């Protein structure tokens, strides 16, 4: 008998391992469900095969993976030759034609060539019918790597061909799955070390040695899961508690990426406690250092090879980012680069596709993935806008649905179906994020509209204005704008959530209409935009004054004023500069050369905002610059309304030193020439640069 065609002998007995363990070549304890499927959250798919039919002839096994892939190429080629033609004028392969053209078979090796070139083609049937959307998949290798695979990828086709898939050996399967990753090479380590700022990574034993004692960890975790503010809702308390209890039984046996998640939660909680009660945490000797906890999180992510997209990697990375953002241990631009890695990790795991399109994901895991993706989507939009960059997430390729408004108790690992969502008026850990999603969607449209390379259509501008106002008007009443003084029955976290959504809404209107403030100021056609922009900016400054008043001693937010520190000052700076721009343009208009100009709403809003920034100027360079700029704008208005005598210099407030007031004054005079399209904070950056040059 030919040695290359050895018959595979099969024993007439049922398999002893479940189907998932057999396909992954994993050890199965033969329980129902088995421990391996439980650990992977795939208990519903833990099935055991019945006795096989042995009456069929034996199957001959190819000698190597190369021959099998060659057969795969011929197999797929035959389908393309019979059923598919390239659309007219979109040919990428000379052997595939359209219409009535003759179709010739694809040449040998075309599949590997297409992989090397990264080529692809759009196809349609010979009868011009629309081809149905293919279903993507998530593939998991035997070492736990999770990879999102587009339907056009060759691994997706390979997984659909049972005759090929079942005859791949474990080593062959590992090589194929590594094709989506790094080929088993440790080349990821330099990039990861550069990203996190580490040249050498300690061992897991050294990392665990720095973990706080269990009572301290218990106290921090209790504080985190009991908090109602700055908790993203992406870690399920019940599931985490079970894993946490198992961790203390054998810490060294826990997955490294789960340990990264633990350190991330601890570091984030330590920061929240410091913000809430700085005096108590500084005197608590048992409280670990936030910097150490952040370092250990990053080290665990590297040691656990986060690029493999194993379980817990994405959640740990997101919480680590949040911890660094709140502590401001890293410049914002560095965090923006780090967030790009988070997005790519989410892409690799397929989080940008809704779980209903990804077979094999349980209802529980699918809903938690939606929560993670929604937070990533929103943070990226705000951060990119703040830094003046285009969004990094192409929404046209994403279809992940907004999660349902559910309590943690509504979700459990073994669930077979998701319950209906609670009303959006009901407070849950994800209510705020869900409600903000509709406003964020229009905000991203507005950002893209204003960042477009060509001049935006004014008709589209007005349409986006109407869409944003309609979306905000449809929000639940509990999360619409309301003064803090009218919110004495509400929790502080709800007040701040409400303010944040309102600021996002107002900021979108400011950004949408800002370009028309100084564009043809005498043209009445753009007056609606000028009015809408100024009113939105003044509303933002009014909210700034409202929050500042409530945060003073005896105010509604006095005990929870640490929450206000998490609100970026970027929105207030944007509004203040827009008001300055509007006043600067109006002072140059002949219609405004009349007495009483200094008593306008804009003038009063700038005075109040200047006092607020002045109170914070000793603690924040941005606050100091804002106070100086607003003070100079106020002086300009006063001088315009009541010009001083030539012998008496213009009055300058004694509250601040103005060593570079002349430079700042020049900035105010030229506000309308600033390039506002590069990000709303560019006016402040420009002012800082002028100051540096003057010094």
């Amino acid at each position: 008998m030919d040695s290359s065609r050895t018959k595979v002998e099969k024993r007439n007995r049922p398999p002893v391992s479940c189907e998932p363990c057999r396909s992954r070549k994993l050890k199965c304890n033969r329980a129902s469900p088995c421990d391996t499927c439980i650990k992977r959250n795939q208990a519903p798919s833990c099935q055991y095969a019945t006795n096989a039919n042995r009456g069929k002839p034996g199957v001959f096994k190819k000698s190597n993976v190369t021959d099998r892939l060659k057969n795969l190429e011929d197999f797929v080629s035959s389908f393309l030759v019979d059923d598919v033609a390239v659309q007219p004028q979109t040919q990428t392969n000379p052997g595939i034609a359209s219409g009535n053209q003759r179709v010739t078979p694809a040449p040998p090796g075309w599949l590997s060539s297409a992989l090397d070139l990264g080529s692809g083609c759009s196809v349609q049937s010979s009868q011009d019918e629309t081809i149905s959307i293919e279903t993507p998949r998530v593939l998991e290798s035997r070492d736990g790597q999770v990879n999102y695979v587009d339907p056009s990828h060759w691994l997706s086709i390979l997984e659909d061909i049972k005759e090929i898939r079942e005859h791949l050996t474990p080593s062959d399967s590992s090589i194929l799955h590594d094709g989506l990753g790094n080929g088993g090479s440790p080349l990821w380590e330099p990039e990861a070390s550069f990203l996190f700022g580490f040249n050498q990574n300690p061992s897991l034993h050294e990392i665990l040695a720095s973990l706080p004692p269990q009572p301290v960890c218990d106290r921090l975790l209790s504080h985190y899961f009991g908090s109602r503010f700055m908790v993203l809702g992406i870690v399920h308390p019940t599931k985490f508690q079970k894993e946490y209890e198992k961790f203390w039984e054998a810490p060294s046996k826990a997955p490294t990426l789960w340990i990264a998640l633990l350190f991330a939660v601890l570091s984030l909680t330590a920061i929240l406690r410091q913000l809430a009660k700085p005096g108590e945490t500084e005197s608590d000797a048992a409280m670990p250092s936030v910097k150490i906890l952040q370092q250990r999180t990053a080290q665990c992510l590297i040691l656990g090879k986060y690029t493999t997209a194993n379980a817990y990697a994405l959640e740990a990375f997101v919480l680590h980012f949040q911890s660094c953002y709140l502590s401001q241990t890293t410049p914002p631009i560095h965090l923006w680069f780090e967030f790009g890695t988070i997005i790519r990790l989410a892409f690799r795991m397929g989080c940008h596709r809704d779980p209903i399109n990804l077979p094999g994901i349980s209802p529980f895991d699918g809903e938690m993935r939606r929560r993670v993706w929604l937070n990533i989507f929103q943070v990226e939009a705000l951060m990119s806008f703040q830094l003046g960059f285009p969004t990094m997430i192409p929404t046209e390729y994403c279809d992940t649905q907004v999660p349902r408004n559910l309590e943690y108790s509504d979700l459990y690992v073994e669930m077979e179906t998701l319950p209906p969502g609670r009303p959006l008026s009901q407070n849950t850990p994800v209510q705020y994020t869900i409600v903000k999603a509709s406003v964020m969607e229009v905000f991203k449209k507005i950002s893209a509209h204003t960042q477009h390379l060509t001049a935006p259509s004014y008709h589209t501008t007005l349409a986006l204005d109407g869409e944003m106002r309609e979306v905000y008007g449809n929000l639940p009443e509990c999360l619409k704008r309301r003064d803090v003084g009218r919110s004495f029955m509400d929790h502080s976290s709800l007040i701040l959530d409400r303010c944040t959504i309102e600021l996002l809404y107002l900021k979108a209107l400011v950004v949408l209409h800002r370009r028309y403030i100084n564009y043809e100021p005498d043209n009445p056609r753009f007056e609606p935009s000028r009015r809408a922009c100024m009113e939105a900016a003044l509303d933002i400054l009014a909210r700034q004054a409202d929050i500042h008043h409530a945060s003073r001693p005896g105010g509604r937010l006095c005990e929870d004023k640490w929450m206000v520190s998490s609100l970026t000052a970027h929105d207030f700076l944007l509004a203040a500069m827009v008001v300055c721009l509007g006043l600067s343009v109006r002072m140059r208009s002949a219609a405004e050369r009349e007495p009483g100009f200094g008593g306008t709403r804009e003038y009063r809003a700038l005075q109040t905002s200047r006092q607020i920034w002045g109170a914070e100027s000793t603690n924040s360079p941005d606050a100091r610059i804002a106070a100086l700029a607003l003070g100079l704008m106020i002086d300009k208005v006063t001088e315009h309304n009541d010009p001083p005598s030539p012998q008496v210099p213009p009055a300058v407030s004694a509250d601040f030193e103005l060593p570079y007031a002349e430079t700042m004054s020049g900035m105010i005079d030229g506000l309308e020439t600033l390039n506002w399209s590069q990000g709303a904070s560019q006016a402040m950056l420009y002012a800082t640069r002028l100051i540096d040059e003057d010094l």
Side-chain angles (χ1 to χ4, degrees):
M1 181 180 291
D2 188 354
S3 59
S4 65
R5 297 177 58 84
T6 304
K7 186 175 181 179
V8 178
E9 297 294 335
K10 298 183 178 178
R11 291 175 291 177
N12 189 22
R13 66 180 181 85
V16 295
S17 300
C18 68
E19 290 291 344
C21 290
R22 289 181 61 210
S23 63
R24 297 190 183 94
K25 306 296 188 296
L26 298 175
K27 184 178 180 180
C28 182
N29 68 344
R30 307 175 191 177
S32 184
C34 69
D35 289 347
T36 303
C37 289
I38 292 176
K39 291 178 181 178
R40 293 175 175 271
N41 298 326
Q42 295 179 349
S45 63
C46 184
Q47 303 291 335
Y48 293 85
T50 58
N51 210 344
N53 181 8
R54 304 303 180 190
K56 296 181 180 180
V59 180
F60 291 92
K61 199 173 185 180
K62 289 291 179 180
S63 59
N64 56 60
V65 70
T66 305
D67 294 338
R68 291 196 289 276
L69 288 178
K70 177 62 173 62
N71 287 346
L72 171 63
E73 289 185 2
D74 298 338
F75 191 43
V76 178
S77 236
S78 65
F79 285 130
L80 290 176
V81 169
D82 294 336
D83 300 329
V84 178
V86 178
Q87 294 181 6
Q89 299 179 352
T90 58
Q91 274 188 242
T92 55
N93 289 318
I96 303 178
S98 62
N100 297 323
Q101 293 180 345
R102 181 174 177 270
V103 180
T104 58
W110 68 271
L111 180 60
S112 58
S113 300
L115 291 174
D116 292 340
L117 296 175
S119 60
C121 60
S122 302
V123 297
Q124 63 180 22
S125 67
S126 57
Q127 289 81 17
D128 239 2
E129 296 177 353
T130 302
I131 297 177
S132 60
I133 299 176
E134 297 176 286
T135 302
R137 66 178 72 245
V138 172
L139 299 184
E140 185 173 354
S141 65
R142 62 193 181 107
D143 63 350
Q145 292 195 35
V146 180
N147 302 287
Y148 167 81
V149 183
D150 190 84
S152 61
H153 196 282
W154 66 282
L155 272 181
S156 182
I157 302 173
L158 182 64
E159 285 291 312
D160 283 336
I161 305 176
K162 182 178 180 182
E163 291 75 7
I164 301 293
R165 184 183 67 251
E166 289 186 346
H167 292 294
L168 291 177
T169 65
S171 60
D172 296 336
S173 180
S174 176
I175 293 173
L176 293 177
H177 283 77
D178 280 342
L180 287 176
N182 45 38
S185 170
L187 294 178
W188 57 269
E189 292 181 352
E191 288 86 0
S193 298
F194 170 78
L195 176 66
F196 289 105
F198 297 107
N199 295 322
Q200 294 182 349
N201 219 39
S203 65
L204 183 60
H205 177 75
E206 294 174 320
I207 293 174
L208 290 174
S210 62
L211 187 69
Q214 184 174 358
V216 177
C217 292
D218 294 347
R219 182 153 48 97
L220 291 175
L221 294 177
S222 176
H223 180 87
Y224 178 79
F225 288 107
S227 299
R228 302 177 63 177
F229 192 69
M230 298 306 296
V231 176
L232 303 181
I234 63 176
V235 179
H236 194 272
T238 304
K239 179 175 180 289
F240 185 86
Q241 184 175 5
K242 293 179 180 178
E243 296 165 342
Y244 179 71
E245 294 171 354
K246 188 175 181 180
F247 164 77
W248 285 111
E249 296 175 0
S252 60
K253 294 183 179 180
T256 306
L257 290 175
W258 186 91
I259 299 175
L261 178 62
L262 174 61
F263 273 106
V265 175
L266 294 177
S267 68
L268 182 56
T269 310
I271 292 172
L272 294 177
R273 284 171 55 87
Q274 284 185 3
L275 293 174
K277 299 179 180 179
E280 293 184 13
T281 54
E282 290 174 1
S283 60
D284 190 351
M287 183 61 60
S289 166
V290 171
K291 183 178 180 180
I292 292 297
L293 293 175
Q294 290 174 342
Q295 288 179 345
R296 293 312 190 200
T297 303
Q299 290 164 350
C300 285
L301 284 169
I302 297 173
L303 192 62
K305 299 182 179 180
Y306 69 91
T307 55
T308 60
N310 286 339
Y312 313 112
L314 189 57
E315 293 87 345
F317 215 149
V318 170
L319 295 182
H320 172 70
F321 170 87
Q322 186 185 13
S323 173
C324 293
Y325 186 85
L326 290 178
S327 62
Q328 290 296 315
T329 57
T330 308
I333 189 65
H334 291 184
L335 291 174
W336 184 75
F337 276 106
E338 184 174 305
F339 206 80
T341 302
I342 293 178
I343 294 172
R344 283 153 182 78
L345 181 59
F347 280 155
R348 181 172 184 184
M349 296 180 66
C351 291
H352 63 296
R353 301 302 310 274
D354 194 79
I356 63 174
N357 299 318
L358 303 174
I361 296 181
S362 68
F364 173 84
D365 288 335
E367 190 66 5
M368 297 306 294
R369 285 164 64 99
R370 292 187 183 101
R371 295 186 176 196
V372 174
W373 176 254
L374 185 58
N375 278 282
I376 292 175
F377 184 85
Q378 294 184 0
V379 172
E380 188 279 330
L382 293 174
M383 196 170 193
S384 293
F385 171 78
Q386 182 171 347
L387 294 174
F389 300 139
T391 179
M392 293 184 282
I393 298 179
T395 54
E396 62 269 23
Y397 302 116
C398 308
D399 63 358
T400 303
Q401 299 297 313
V402 174
R404 301 183 185 183
N405 191 36
L406 298 172
E407 289 280 1
Y408 288 126
S409 58
D410 298 328
L411 299 169
Y412 53 95
V413 176
E414 300 82 9
M415 66 191 312
E416 296 182 359
T417 58
L418 286 175
R422 297 170 183 258
L424 287 180
S425 58
Q426 186 170 343
N427 189 16
T428 70
V430 291
Q431 178 208 31
Y432 161 72
T433 311
I434 294 174
V435 171
K436 191 173 68 171
S438 58
V439 182
M440 182 64 69
E441 182 180 359
V442 185
F443 176 79
K444 289 200 68 169
K445 292 181 183 179
I446 291 175
S447 296
H449 174 71
T450 57
Q451 293 174 349
H452 202 274
L453 296 179
T454 59
S457 165
Y458 190 59
H459 176 76
T460 305
T461 298
L462 298 180
L464 288 172
D465 177 279
E467 184 178 359
M468 174 58 80
R469 295 180 189 276
E470 180 181 3
V471 165
Y472 189 77
N474 292 332
L475 297 184
E477 289 297 327
C478 61
L479 286 172
K480 287 184 181 178
R481 65 169 71 187
R482 188 183 306 172
D483 290 343
V484 179
R486 296 174 50 221
S487 309
F488 57 89
M489 296 295 294
D490 298 328
H491 191 274
S492 299
S493 61
L494 177 59
I495 295 175
L496 270 298
D497 288 344
R498 182 186 296 137
C499 291
T500 304
I501 295 177
E502 180 193 2
L503 290 176
L504 177 62
Y505 159 70
L506 295 174
K507 177 170 62 176
L509 296 180
V510 168
V511 173
L512 179 64
H513 296 289
R514 187 270 319 150
R515 68 172 62 241
Y516 300 104
I517 289 182
N518 60 331
Y519 179 74
E520 298 184 11
D522 296 328
N523 190 340
R525 181 192 179 194
F526 304 118
E527 185 59 29
S529 285
R530 288 190 284 268
R531 184 170 58 252
C533 184
M534 292 298 291
E535 289 178 353
L538 290 171
D539 286 343
I540 292 177
L541 295 184
R543 183 60 58 223
Q544 179 191 23
D546 185 33
I547 294 175
H548 177 74
H549 178 77
S551 302
R552 294 188 298 181
R556 174 64 180 81
L557 299 177
C558 178
E559 296 181 357
D560 299 312
K561 62 182 179 181
W562 65 272
M563 295 183 181
V564 182
S565 64
S566 65
L567 287 174
T568 175
H570 179 268
D571 297 344
F572 302 140
L573 290 172
L574 167 65
M577 291 300 101
V578 165
V579 172
C580 288
L581 173 63
L583 285 176
S584 179
V585 173
R586 289 176 63 184
M587 282 192 297
R588 286 164 176 75
S589 173
E592 296 298 341
R593 298 187 180 279
E594 57 185 26
F597 178 70
T600 61
R601 181 187 175 192
E602 293 92 332
Y603 183 74
R604 294 192 300 269
L606 290 183
Q607 287 181 314
T608 303
S609 183
R610 173 181 175 274
Q611 294 174 358
I612 296 173
W613 289 118
E616 300 292 333
S617 61
T618 57
N619 302 321
S620 170
D622 288 342
R624 178 171 174 78
I625 294 175
L628 291 171
L630 297 182
L632 286 166
M633 189 72 233
I634 292 171
D635 290 338
K636 289 286 183 180
V637 174
T638 304
E639 180 182 351
H640 173 83
N641 200 40
D642 186 16
S645 171
Q647 292 80 15
V648 181
V652 175
S653 173
D655 295 338
F656 308 101
E657 297 179 2
L658 297 176
Y660 29 76
E662 183 177 351
T663 302
M664 292 289 291
S665 180
M667 184 203 77
I668 296 294
D669 290 337
L671 265 177
E672 68 273 16
T673 65
L674 296 182
N675 183 5
W676 292 75
S677 63
Q678 299 301 317
S681 62
Q682 290 299 305
M684 287 287 91
L685 298 178
Y686 180 70
T688 306
R689 184 170 70 250
L690 286 176
I691 292 170
D692 292 340
E693 293 175 356
D694 192 61
L695 291 176

